[in-house]
Amino acid sequence: MGQRNKQARTVLATAALGVGLLLQGAPAALAQPVPGEASAAAPEEASAESAQSAYVQGVVVSRVTLHVRARATTSAQVLGSLEPSEKVKLSCQAKGSLVEGNNIWYRLHGEPGWVSARFVHNYTPVRWC
């Protein structure tokens, strides 16, 4: 009889744990918008949110001035430069010429030009162009 009670308690504890883990994700699932339904957010909030997601914040991590180029290649015309530790806004990423083992380049947001991802740290993922 003792063994059967121990098994029953184990089954109940496991079931309770499973239900607890299942319910833990429920609030997040309920907060997700349903595809095809209009958002309940105000238009000002929606436009501010889309404008915010239009770029990613980054910072120049090179030790010297970083060239801003017309295309995603080291042979492209230099349009300007960025200083070490300067904050930048990144629109998207694309493959370009290899720079110290990294062929990813970032397009700057709000101004023309590309910078090598080798010398820019992005705080969040950057979408592909």
Side-chain angles (χ1 to χ4, degrees), residues 97-113:
S97 64
L98 203 62
V99 177
E100 293 187 16
N102 188 336
N103 69 340
I104 302 298
W105 287 69
Y106 296 135
R107 182 184 297 175
L108 297 178
H109 178 77
E111 59 185 284

Side-chain angles (χ1 to χ4, degrees), residues 33 37-43 45:
E37 285 189 9
S39 174
E45 291 175 2

Side-chain angles (χ1 to χ4, degrees), residues 8-24:
R9 284 190 303 240
T10 301
V11 168
L12 286 174
T14 304
L17 177 62
V19 169
L21 290 174
L22 181 65
L23 291 177
Q24 183 177 8

Side-chain angles (χ1 to χ4, degrees), residues 8 16 47 60 85-87 102 112 116 121 128:
S47 63
V60 176
S85 302
E86 186 172 340
K87 291 185 179 179
N102 188 336
S116 169
H121 172 76
W128 288 94

